[in-house]
Amino acid sequence: MSHPLRIAIADDEAEIRDYFQKVLERLGHDVVAAVDNGADLVTACNSLLPDLIITDVRMPQLDGDQAVREIWKCHRIPAILISAYNPPVDPAGDAPTWSYLNKPVRRTDLEAAILAAVPD
């Protein structure tokens, strides 16, 4: 990747948010928002317009896949969904497209997913 990305992350577990923040900064990216629920993710993305979203699927107030669908109504921001559970149903038609990673997420898998989601 030739330039740093502005990334919004969402996970209801503080340790996971901290992990992503550290890994993403080591990869040269800027974390512009780190929130613990889907509703706050929607608000942050609508105001900050990040280059990429990385979100847990199951969260309070609004699940990550639902938050991405809401964001996509106005902004086509690529997303990577993460979860310890089965992936959500892939979107169809005009719905968002996303990558999916199983928890625990390894740095190499995250780096590959970022490159696939936001190619140069």
Side-chain angles (χ1 to χ4, degrees):
M1 178 130 326
S2 62
H3 66 285
L5 297 175
R6 298 174 65 253
I7 301 175
I9 58 175
D11 198 296
D12 55 335
E13 296 179 52
E15 307 83 37
I16 302 293
R17 289 192 309 274
D18 291 343
Y19 169 76
F20 280 118
Q21 197 147 8
K22 288 175 186 170
V23 168
L24 292 167
E25 288 172 358
R26 286 186 188 129
L27 292 174
H29 302 297
D30 298 319
V31 176
V32 296
V35 299
D36 65 358
N37 66 72
D40 287 349
L41 179 63
V42 172
T43 300
C45 288
N46 284 335
S47 65
L48 298 171
L49 299 176
D51 301 312
L52 177 66
I53 299 165
I54 300 174
T55 181
D56 189 15
V57 174
R58 292 189 181 177
M59 288 190 297
Q61 296 184 30
L62 189 64
D63 284 338
D65 58 320
Q66 294 169 328
V68 171
R69 285 184 177 102
E70 187 65 29
I71 293 161
W72 263 57
K73 290 179 182 177
C74 298
H75 310 288
R76 302 294 175 128
I77 301 169
I80 299 171
L81 303 183
I82 58 169
S83 183
Y85 305 98
N86 291 330
V89 175
D90 283 339
D94 200 33
T97 54
W98 50 57
S99 300
Y100 178 81
L101 296 173
N102 284 311
K103 283 183 179 180
V105 176
R106 296 184 329 214
R107 177 184 168 153
T108 55
D109 295 335
L110 179 61
E111 192 169 12
I114 291 169
L115 288 171
V118 187
D120 275 342

PDB file of all heavy atoms in Angstrom, residues 17-54:
ATOM      1  N   ARG A  17     -10.139  -3.808  20.318  1.00  0.00           N
ATOM      2  CA  ARG A  17      -9.925  -2.466  19.760  1.00  0.00           C
ATOM      3  C   ARG A  17      -8.471  -2.050  19.916  1.00  0.00           C
ATOM      4  O   ARG A  17      -7.863  -1.531  18.978  1.00  0.00           O
ATOM      5  CB  ARG A  17     -10.842  -1.435  20.428  1.00  0.00           C
ATOM      6  CG  ARG A  17     -12.296  -1.564  20.053  1.00  0.00           C
ATOM      7  CD  ARG A  17     -13.107  -0.360  20.503  1.00  0.00           C
ATOM      8  NE  ARG A  17     -12.935   0.014  21.904  1.00  0.00           N
ATOM      9  CZ  ARG A  17     -13.620  -0.504  22.910  1.00  0.00           C
ATOM     10  NH1 ARG A  17     -14.535  -1.435  22.692  1.00  0.00           N
ATOM     11  NH2 ARG A  17     -13.409  -0.079  24.148  1.00  0.00           N
ATOM     12  N   ASP A  18      -7.894  -2.293  21.092  1.00  0.00           N
ATOM     13  CA  ASP A  18      -6.493  -1.943  21.330  1.00  0.00           C
ATOM     14  C   ASP A  18      -5.570  -2.719  20.400  1.00  0.00           C
ATOM     15  O   ASP A  18      -4.617  -2.157  19.850  1.00  0.00           O
ATOM     16  CB  ASP A  18      -6.107  -2.217  22.791  1.00  0.00           C
ATOM     17  CG  ASP A  18      -6.777  -1.275  23.773  1.00  0.00           C
ATOM     18  OD1 ASP A  18      -7.287  -0.209  23.336  1.00  0.00           O
ATOM     19  OD2 ASP A  18      -6.802  -1.613  24.972  1.00  0.00           O
ATOM     20  N   TYR A  19      -5.836  -4.008  20.216  1.00  0.00           N
ATOM     21  CA  TYR A  19      -5.027  -4.836  19.319  1.00  0.00           C
ATOM     22  C   TYR A  19      -5.048  -4.270  17.898  1.00  0.00           C
ATOM     23  O   TYR A  19      -3.995  -4.081  17.284  1.00  0.00           O
ATOM     24  CB  TYR A  19      -5.544  -6.279  19.326  1.00  0.00           C
ATOM     25  CG  TYR A  19      -4.944  -7.135  18.233  1.00  0.00           C
ATOM     26  CD1 TYR A  19      -3.648  -7.630  18.334  1.00  0.00           C
ATOM     27  CD2 TYR A  19      -5.686  -7.441  17.094  1.00  0.00           C
ATOM     28  CE1 TYR A  19      -3.091  -8.409  17.325  1.00  0.00           C
ATOM     29  CE2 TYR A  19      -5.138  -8.217  16.079  1.00  0.00           C
ATOM     30  CZ  TYR A  19      -3.845  -8.700  16.207  1.00  0.00           C
ATOM     31  OH  TYR A  19      -3.293  -9.464  15.204  1.00  0.00           O
ATOM     32  N   PHE A  20      -6.248  -3.989  17.386  1.00  0.00           N
ATOM     33  CA  PHE A  20      -6.347  -3.456  16.031  1.00  0.00           C
ATOM     34  C   PHE A  20      -5.657  -2.098  15.914  1.00  0.00           C
ATOM     35  O   PHE A  20      -4.979  -1.820  14.934  1.00  0.00           O
ATOM     36  CB  PHE A  20      -7.805  -3.348  15.574  1.00  0.00           C
ATOM     37  CG  PHE A  20      -8.366  -4.650  15.112  1.00  0.00           C
ATOM     38  CD1 PHE A  20      -9.431  -5.233  15.758  1.00  0.00           C
ATOM     39  CD2 PHE A  20      -7.834  -5.310  14.017  1.00  0.00           C
ATOM     40  CE1 PHE A  20      -9.941  -6.449  15.342  1.00  0.00           C
ATOM     41  CE2 PHE A  20      -8.332  -6.513  13.583  1.00  0.00           C
ATOM     42  CZ  PHE A  20      -9.394  -7.091  14.250  1.00  0.00           C
ATOM     43  N   GLN A  21      -5.836  -1.269  16.907  1.00  0.00           N
ATOM     44  CA  GLN A  21      -5.211   0.057  16.865  1.00  0.00           C
ATOM     45  C   GLN A  21      -3.687  -0.078  16.761  1.00  0.00           C
ATOM     46  O   GLN A  21      -3.053   0.577  15.924  1.00  0.00           O
ATOM     47  CB  GLN A  21      -5.602   0.864  18.101  1.00  0.00           C
ATOM     48  CG  GLN A  21      -5.348   2.326  17.933  1.00  0.00           C
ATOM     49  CD  GLN A  21      -6.364   3.176  18.676  1.00  0.00           C
ATOM     50  OE1 GLN A  21      -7.182   2.686  19.445  1.00  0.00           O
ATOM     51  NE2 GLN A  21      -6.313   4.459  18.451  1.00  0.00           N
ATOM     52  N   LYS A  22      -3.099  -0.944  17.568  1.00  0.00           N
ATOM     53  CA  LYS A  22      -1.644  -1.133  17.552  1.00  0.00           C
ATOM     54  C   LYS A  22      -1.180  -1.728  16.230  1.00  0.00           C
ATOM     55  O   LYS A  22      -0.213  -1.256  15.619  1.00  0.00           O
ATOM     56  CB  LYS A  22      -1.214  -2.015  18.712  1.00  0.00           C
ATOM     57  CG  LYS A  22      -1.305  -1.328  20.056  1.00  0.00           C
ATOM     58  CD  LYS A  22      -0.984  -2.260  21.183  1.00  0.00           C
ATOM     59  CE  LYS A  22      -1.241  -1.576  22.515  1.00  0.00           C
ATOM     60  NZ  LYS A  22      -1.170  -2.504  23.634  1.00  0.00           N
ATOM     61  N   VAL A  23      -1.856  -2.772  15.764  1.00  0.00           N
ATOM     62  CA  VAL A  23      -1.453  -3.433  14.521  1.00  0.00           C
ATOM     63  C   VAL A  23      -1.596  -2.476  13.336  1.00  0.00           C
ATOM     64  O   VAL A  23      -0.700  -2.380  12.490  1.00  0.00           O
ATOM     65  CB  VAL A  23      -2.261  -4.722  14.289  1.00  0.00           C
ATOM     66  CG1 VAL A  23      -2.058  -5.261  12.878  1.00  0.00           C
ATOM     67  CG2 VAL A  23      -1.883  -5.781  15.317  1.00  0.00           C
ATOM     68  N   LEU A  24      -2.699  -1.764  13.271  1.00  0.00           N
ATOM     69  CA  LEU A  24      -2.925  -0.861  12.139  1.00  0.00           C
ATOM     70  C   LEU A  24      -1.899   0.270  12.113  1.00  0.00           C
ATOM     71  O   LEU A  24      -1.417   0.652  11.053  1.00  0.00           O
ATOM     72  CB  LEU A  24      -4.353  -0.316  12.177  1.00  0.00           C
ATOM     73  CG  LEU A  24      -5.430  -1.358  11.907  1.00  0.00           C
ATOM     74  CD1 LEU A  24      -6.799  -0.822  12.272  1.00  0.00           C
ATOM     75  CD2 LEU A  24      -5.381  -1.828  10.463  1.00  0.00           C
ATOM     76  N   GLU A  25      -1.559   0.794  13.277  1.00  0.00           N
ATOM     77  CA  GLU A  25      -0.536   1.838  13.330  1.00  0.00           C
ATOM     78  C   GLU A  25       0.818   1.291  12.899  1.00  0.00           C
ATOM     79  O   GLU A  25       1.566   1.957  12.187  1.00  0.00           O
ATOM     80  CB  GLU A  25      -0.489   2.456  14.726  1.00  0.00           C
ATOM     81  CG  GLU A  25      -1.697   3.326  15.001  1.00  0.00           C
ATOM     82  CD  GLU A  25      -1.808   3.813  16.439  1.00  0.00           C
ATOM     83  OE1 GLU A  25      -0.948   3.453  17.282  1.00  0.00           O
ATOM     84  OE2 GLU A  25      -2.772   4.548  16.724  1.00  0.00           O
ATOM     85  N   ARG A  26       1.141   0.052  13.295  1.00  0.00           N
ATOM     86  CA  ARG A  26       2.399  -0.570  12.857  1.00  0.00           C
ATOM     87  C   ARG A  26       2.417  -0.787  11.353  1.00  0.00           C
ATOM     88  O   ARG A  26       3.479  -0.780  10.732  1.00  0.00           O
ATOM     89  CB  ARG A  26       2.617  -1.890  13.584  1.00  0.00           C
ATOM     90  CG  ARG A  26       3.026  -1.713  15.021  1.00  0.00           C
ATOM     91  CD  ARG A  26       3.367  -3.023  15.685  1.00  0.00           C
ATOM     92  NE  ARG A  26       3.557  -2.815  17.102  1.00  0.00           N
ATOM     93  CZ  ARG A  26       2.971  -3.528  18.046  1.00  0.00           C
ATOM     94  NH1 ARG A  26       2.164  -4.525  17.734  1.00  0.00           N
ATOM     95  NH2 ARG A  26       3.198  -3.259  19.309  1.00  0.00           N
ATOM     96  N   LEU A  27       1.250  -0.994  10.760  1.00  0.00           N
ATOM     97  CA  LEU A  27       1.158  -1.163   9.311  1.00  0.00           C
ATOM     98  C   LEU A  27       1.164   0.188   8.587  1.00  0.00           C
ATOM     99  O   LEU A  27       1.092   0.231   7.364  1.00  0.00           O
ATOM    100  CB  LEU A  27      -0.105  -1.957   8.951  1.00  0.00           C
ATOM    101  CG  LEU A  27      -0.116  -3.428   9.380  1.00  0.00           C
ATOM    102  CD1 LEU A  27      -1.484  -4.052   9.098  1.00  0.00           C
ATOM    103  CD2 LEU A  27       0.989  -4.204   8.682  1.00  0.00           C
ATOM    104  N   GLY A  28       1.193   1.275   9.345  1.00  0.00           N
ATOM    105  CA  GLY A  28       1.286   2.605   8.753  1.00  0.00           C
ATOM    106  C   GLY A  28      -0.031   3.305   8.522  1.00  0.00           C
ATOM    107  O   GLY A  28      -0.084   4.319   7.829  1.00  0.00           O
ATOM    108  N   HIS A  29      -1.109   2.806   9.118  1.00  0.00           N
ATOM    109  CA  HIS A  29      -2.433   3.395   8.920  1.00  0.00           C
ATOM    110  C   HIS A  29      -2.827   4.262  10.110  1.00  0.00           C
ATOM    111  O   HIS A  29      -2.249   4.151  11.193  1.00  0.00           O
ATOM    112  CB  HIS A  29      -3.471   2.302   8.696  1.00  0.00           C
ATOM    113  CG  HIS A  29      -3.148   1.424   7.530  1.00  0.00           C
ATOM    114  ND1 HIS A  29      -3.076   1.899   6.240  1.00  0.00           N
ATOM    115  CD2 HIS A  29      -2.854   0.105   7.456  1.00  0.00           C
ATOM    116  CE1 HIS A  29      -2.764   0.912   5.425  1.00  0.00           C
ATOM    117  NE2 HIS A  29      -2.614  -0.189   6.139  1.00  0.00           N
ATOM    118  N   ASP A  30      -3.816   5.121   9.899  1.00  0.00           N
ATOM    119  CA  ASP A  30      -4.328   5.994  10.953  1.00  0.00           C
ATOM    120  C   ASP A  30      -5.698   5.504  11.391  1.00  0.00           C
ATOM    121  O   ASP A  30      -6.609   5.372  10.561  1.00  0.00           O
ATOM    122  CB  ASP A  30      -4.472   7.434  10.439  1.00  0.00           C
ATOM    123  CG  ASP A  30      -3.145   8.033  10.015  1.00  0.00           C
ATOM    124  OD1 ASP A  30      -2.145   7.813  10.727  1.00  0.00           O
ATOM    125  OD2 ASP A  30      -3.110   8.709   8.972  1.00  0.00           O
ATOM    126  N   VAL A  31      -5.856   5.240  12.673  1.00  0.00           N
ATOM    127  CA  VAL A  31      -7.161   4.879  13.223  1.00  0.00           C
ATOM    128  C   VAL A  31      -7.864   6.181  13.588  1.00  0.00           C
ATOM    129  O   VAL A  31      -7.433   6.897  14.487  1.00  0.00           O
ATOM    130  CB  VAL A  31      -7.030   3.944  14.440  1.00  0.00           C
ATOM    131  CG1 VAL A  31      -8.396   3.676  15.054  1.00  0.00           C
ATOM    132  CG2 VAL A  31      -6.345   2.644  14.035  1.00  0.00           C
ATOM    133  N   VAL A  32      -8.937   6.498  12.862  1.00  0.00           N
ATOM    134  CA  VAL A  32      -9.636   7.765  13.073  1.00  0.00           C
ATOM    135  C   VAL A  32     -10.811   7.625  14.036  1.00  0.00           C
ATOM    136  O   VAL A  32     -11.322   8.626  14.529  1.00  0.00           O
ATOM    137  CB  VAL A  32     -10.103   8.382  11.740  1.00  0.00           C
ATOM    138  CG1 VAL A  32      -8.893   8.751  10.878  1.00  0.00           C
ATOM    139  CG2 VAL A  32     -11.051   7.462  10.986  1.00  0.00           C
ATOM    140  N   ALA A  33     -11.236   6.385  14.290  1.00  0.00           N
ATOM    141  CA  ALA A  33     -12.310   6.143  15.255  1.00  0.00           C
ATOM    142  C   ALA A  33     -12.156   4.729  15.789  1.00  0.00           C
ATOM    143  O   ALA A  33     -11.849   3.805  15.035  1.00  0.00           O
ATOM    144  CB  ALA A  33     -13.679   6.309  14.609  1.00  0.00           C
ATOM    145  N   ALA A  34     -12.373   4.573  17.097  1.00  0.00           N
ATOM    146  CA  ALA A  34     -12.370   3.267  17.750  1.00  0.00           C
ATOM    147  C   ALA A  34     -13.553   3.253  18.702  1.00  0.00           C
ATOM    148  O   ALA A  34     -13.507   3.882  19.757  1.00  0.00           O
ATOM    149  CB  ALA A  34     -11.060   3.020  18.477  1.00  0.00           C
ATOM    150  N   VAL A  35     -14.626   2.576  18.304  1.00  0.00           N
ATOM    151  CA  VAL A  35     -15.876   2.618  19.062  1.00  0.00           C
ATOM    152  C   VAL A  35     -16.289   1.219  19.500  1.00  0.00           C
ATOM    153  O   VAL A  35     -15.770   0.225  18.996  1.00  0.00           O
ATOM    154  CB  VAL A  35     -16.999   3.289  18.231  1.00  0.00           C
ATOM    155  CG1 VAL A  35     -16.628   4.725  17.889  1.00  0.00           C
ATOM    156  CG2 VAL A  35     -17.285   2.497  16.972  1.00  0.00           C
ATOM    157  N   ASP A  36     -17.250   1.156  20.439  1.00  0.00           N
ATOM    158  CA  ASP A  36     -17.632  -0.133  21.002  1.00  0.00           C
ATOM    159  C   ASP A  36     -19.022  -0.616  20.611  1.00  0.00           C
ATOM    160  O   ASP A  36     -19.517  -1.584  21.187  1.00  0.00           O
ATOM    161  CB  ASP A  36     -17.490  -0.099  22.525  1.00  0.00           C
ATOM    162  CG  ASP A  36     -18.440   0.878  23.197  1.00  0.00           C
ATOM    163  OD1 ASP A  36     -19.202   1.574  22.499  1.00  0.00           O
ATOM    164  OD2 ASP A  36     -18.414   0.948  24.438  1.00  0.00           O
ATOM    165  N   ASN A  37     -19.653   0.041  19.648  1.00  0.00           N
ATOM    166  CA  ASN A  37     -20.968  -0.428  19.205  1.00  0.00           C
ATOM    167  C   ASN A  37     -21.257   0.064  17.787  1.00  0.00           C
ATOM    168  O   ASN A  37     -20.623   1.004  17.303  1.00  0.00           O
ATOM    169  CB  ASN A  37     -22.067   0.002  20.181  1.00  0.00           C
ATOM    170  CG  ASN A  37     -22.257   1.500  20.214  1.00  0.00           C
ATOM    171  OD1 ASN A  37     -22.787   2.091  19.270  1.00  0.00           O
ATOM    172  ND2 ASN A  37     -21.794   2.135  21.294  1.00  0.00           N
ATOM    173  N   GLY A  38     -22.220  -0.579  17.142  1.00  0.00           N
ATOM    174  CA  GLY A  38     -22.534  -0.265  15.759  1.00  0.00           C
ATOM    175  C   GLY A  38     -23.137   1.113  15.548  1.00  0.00           C
ATOM    176  O   GLY A  38     -22.879   1.757  14.531  1.00  0.00           O
ATOM    177  N   ALA A  39     -23.930   1.575  16.496  1.00  0.00           N
ATOM    178  CA  ALA A  39     -24.547   2.899  16.352  1.00  0.00           C
ATOM    179  C   ALA A  39     -23.469   3.987  16.321  1.00  0.00           C
ATOM    180  O   ALA A  39     -23.528   4.910  15.495  1.00  0.00           O
ATOM    181  CB  ALA A  39     -25.543   3.147  17.476  1.00  0.00           C
ATOM    182  N   ASP A  40     -22.490   3.880  17.205  1.00  0.00           N
ATOM    183  CA  ASP A  40     -21.401   4.859  17.213  1.00  0.00           C
ATOM    184  C   ASP A  40     -20.539   4.735  15.957  1.00  0.00           C
ATOM    185  O   ASP A  40     -19.995   5.727  15.478  1.00  0.00           O
ATOM    186  CB  ASP A  40     -20.534   4.698  18.460  1.00  0.00           C
ATOM    187  CG  ASP A  40     -21.218   5.200  19.720  1.00  0.00           C
ATOM    188  OD1 ASP A  40     -22.272   5.866  19.614  1.00  0.00           O
ATOM    189  OD2 ASP A  40     -20.709   4.914  20.822  1.00  0.00           O
ATOM    190  N   LEU A  41     -20.432   3.522  15.418  1.00  0.00           N
ATOM    191  CA  LEU A  41     -19.690   3.336  14.169  1.00  0.00           C
ATOM    192  C   LEU A  41     -20.363   4.095  13.033  1.00  0.00           C
ATOM    193  O   LEU A  41     -19.690   4.780  12.251  1.00  0.00           O
ATOM    194  CB  LEU A  41     -19.587   1.848  13.820  1.00  0.00           C
ATOM    195  CG  LEU A  41     -18.859   1.517  12.517  1.00  0.00           C
ATOM    196  CD1 LEU A  41     -17.396   1.959  12.581  1.00  0.00           C
ATOM    197  CD2 LEU A  41     -18.963   0.030  12.221  1.00  0.00           C
ATOM    198  N   VAL A  42     -21.670   4.012  12.943  1.00  0.00           N
ATOM    199  CA  VAL A  42     -22.409   4.735  11.900  1.00  0.00           C
ATOM    200  C   VAL A  42     -22.163   6.238  12.034  1.00  0.00           C
ATOM    201  O   VAL A  42     -21.839   6.919  11.059  1.00  0.00           O
ATOM    202  CB  VAL A  42     -23.924   4.416  11.958  1.00  0.00           C
ATOM    203  CG1 VAL A  42     -24.703   5.315  11.010  1.00  0.00           C
ATOM    204  CG2 VAL A  42     -24.165   2.949  11.637  1.00  0.00           C
ATOM    205  N   THR A  43     -22.299   6.750  13.244  1.00  0.00           N
ATOM    206  CA  THR A  43     -22.089   8.183  13.481  1.00  0.00           C
ATOM    207  C   THR A  43     -20.671   8.603  13.100  1.00  0.00           C
ATOM    208  O   THR A  43     -20.479   9.604  12.399  1.00  0.00           O
ATOM    209  CB  THR A  43     -22.358   8.519  14.962  1.00  0.00           C
ATOM    210  OG1 THR A  43     -23.715   8.174  15.267  1.00  0.00           O
ATOM    211  CG2 THR A  43     -22.136   9.989  15.248  1.00  0.00           C
ATOM    212  N   ALA A  44     -19.679   7.838  13.550  1.00  0.00           N
ATOM    213  CA  ALA A  44     -18.287   8.177  13.260  1.00  0.00           C
ATOM    214  C   ALA A  44     -18.001   8.143  11.765  1.00  0.00           C
ATOM    215  O   ALA A  44     -17.367   9.052  11.227  1.00  0.00           O
ATOM    216  CB  ALA A  44     -17.349   7.214  14.005  1.00  0.00           C
ATOM    217  N   CYS A  45     -18.478   7.114  11.086  1.00  0.00           N
ATOM    218  CA  CYS A  45     -18.191   6.989   9.651  1.00  0.00           C
ATOM    219  C   CYS A  45     -18.891   8.063   8.832  1.00  0.00           C
ATOM    220  O   CYS A  45     -18.324   8.567   7.855  1.00  0.00           O
ATOM    221  CB  CYS A  45     -18.574   5.602   9.156  1.00  0.00           C
ATOM    222  SG  CYS A  45     -17.440   4.326   9.741  1.00  0.00           S
ATOM    223  N   ASN A  46     -20.093   8.427   9.226  1.00  0.00           N
ATOM    224  CA  ASN A  46     -20.806   9.466   8.486  1.00  0.00           C
ATOM    225  C   ASN A  46     -20.152  10.835   8.640  1.00  0.00           C
ATOM    226  O   ASN A  46     -20.236  11.667   7.740  1.00  0.00           O
ATOM    227  CB  ASN A  46     -22.277   9.516   8.900  1.00  0.00           C
ATOM    228  CG  ASN A  46     -23.065   8.376   8.299  1.00  0.00           C
ATOM    229  OD1 ASN A  46     -22.704   7.827   7.255  1.00  0.00           O
ATOM    230  ND2 ASN A  46     -24.147   7.998   8.953  1.00  0.00           N
ATOM    231  N   SER A  47     -19.466  11.066   9.760  1.00  0.00           N
ATOM    232  CA  SER A  47     -18.813  12.368   9.935  1.00  0.00           C
ATOM    233  C   SER A  47     -17.344  12.353   9.508  1.00  0.00           C
ATOM    234  O   SER A  47     -16.850  13.339   8.972  1.00  0.00           O
ATOM    235  CB  SER A  47     -18.941  12.843  11.381  1.00  0.00           C
ATOM    236  OG  SER A  47     -18.233  11.990  12.249  1.00  0.00           O
ATOM    237  N   LEU A  48     -16.639  11.248   9.699  1.00  0.00           N
ATOM    238  CA  LEU A  48     -15.202  11.200   9.421  1.00  0.00           C
ATOM    239  C   LEU A  48     -14.853  10.660   8.035  1.00  0.00           C
ATOM    240  O   LEU A  48     -13.751  10.883   7.548  1.00  0.00           O
ATOM    241  CB  LEU A  48     -14.497  10.341  10.482  1.00  0.00           C
ATOM    242  CG  LEU A  48     -14.598  10.850  11.916  1.00  0.00           C
ATOM    243  CD1 LEU A  48     -14.055   9.810  12.891  1.00  0.00           C
ATOM    244  CD2 LEU A  48     -13.843  12.157  12.057  1.00  0.00           C
ATOM    245  N   LEU A  49     -15.775   9.921   7.424  1.00  0.00           N
ATOM    246  CA  LEU A  49     -15.567   9.325   6.101  1.00  0.00           C
ATOM    247  C   LEU A  49     -14.209   8.617   5.979  1.00  0.00           C
ATOM    248  O   LEU A  49     -13.361   9.005   5.177  1.00  0.00           O
ATOM    249  CB  LEU A  49     -15.713  10.381   5.006  1.00  0.00           C
ATOM    250  CG  LEU A  49     -17.077  11.067   4.926  1.00  0.00           C
ATOM    251  CD1 LEU A  49     -17.061  12.155   3.876  1.00  0.00           C
ATOM    252  CD2 LEU A  49     -18.175  10.054   4.661  1.00  0.00           C
ATOM    253  N   PRO A  50     -14.014   7.544   6.754  1.00  0.00           N
ATOM    254  CA  PRO A  50     -12.749   6.813   6.674  1.00  0.00           C
ATOM    255  C   PRO A  50     -12.611   6.095   5.332  1.00  0.00           C
ATOM    256  O   PRO A  50     -13.576   5.968   4.580  1.00  0.00           O
ATOM    257  CB  PRO A  50     -12.865   5.808   7.828  1.00  0.00           C
ATOM    258  CG  PRO A  50     -14.323   5.577   7.959  1.00  0.00           C
ATOM    259  CD  PRO A  50     -14.969   6.914   7.666  1.00  0.00           C
ATOM    260  N   ASP A  51     -11.405   5.613   5.061  1.00  0.00           N
ATOM    261  CA  ASP A  51     -11.148   4.852   3.843  1.00  0.00           C
ATOM    262  C   ASP A  51     -11.578   3.393   3.975  1.00  0.00           C
ATOM    263  O   ASP A  51     -11.803   2.709   2.975  1.00  0.00           O
ATOM    264  CB  ASP A  51      -9.648   4.865   3.510  1.00  0.00           C
ATOM    265  CG  ASP A  51      -9.114   6.265   3.311  1.00  0.00           C
ATOM    266  OD1 ASP A  51      -9.752   7.034   2.564  1.00  0.00           O
ATOM    267  OD2 ASP A  51      -8.073   6.594   3.904  1.00  0.00           O
ATOM    268  N   LEU A  52     -11.668   2.913   5.227  1.00  0.00           N
ATOM    269  CA  LEU A  52     -11.958   1.507   5.496  1.00  0.00           C
ATOM    270  C   LEU A  52     -12.611   1.373   6.861  1.00  0.00           C
ATOM    271  O   LEU A  52     -12.286   2.124   7.786  1.00  0.00           O
ATOM    272  CB  LEU A  52     -10.660   0.692   5.452  1.00  0.00           C
ATOM    273  CG  LEU A  52     -10.730  -0.795   5.765  1.00  0.00           C
ATOM    274  CD1 LEU A  52     -11.523  -1.540   4.691  1.00  0.00           C
ATOM    275  CD2 LEU A  52      -9.330  -1.387   5.888  1.00  0.00           C
ATOM    276  N   ILE A  53     -13.498   0.386   6.978  1.00  0.00           N
ATOM    277  CA  ILE A  53     -14.141   0.044   8.246  1.00  0.00           C
ATOM    278  C   ILE A  53     -13.710  -1.370   8.620  1.00  0.00           C
ATOM    279  O   ILE A  53     -13.738  -2.269   7.780  1.00  0.00           O
ATOM    280  CB  ILE A  53     -15.682   0.071   8.115  1.00  0.00           C
ATOM    281  CG1 ILE A  53     -16.172   1.456   7.719  1.00  0.00           C
ATOM    282  CG2 ILE A  53     -16.341  -0.420   9.400  1.00  0.00           C
ATOM    283  CD1 ILE A  53     -17.620   1.470   7.232  1.00  0.00           C
ATOM    284  N   ILE A  54     -13.321  -1.558   9.878  1.00  0.00           N
ATOM    285  CA  ILE A  54     -13.077  -2.897  10.414  1.00  0.00           C
ATOM    286  C   ILE A  54     -13.980  -3.032  11.622  1.00  0.00           C
ATOM    287  O   ILE A  54     -13.868  -2.264  12.578  1.00  0.00           O
ATOM    288  CB  ILE A  54     -11.600  -3.098  10.806  1.00  0.00           C
ATOM    289  CG1 ILE A  54     -10.701  -2.916   9.578  1.00  0.00           C
ATOM    290  CG2 ILE A  54     -11.407  -4.480  11.433  1.00  0.00           C
ATOM    291  CD1 ILE A  54      -9.217  -2.953   9.889  1.00  0.00           C
TER     292      ILE A  54
END
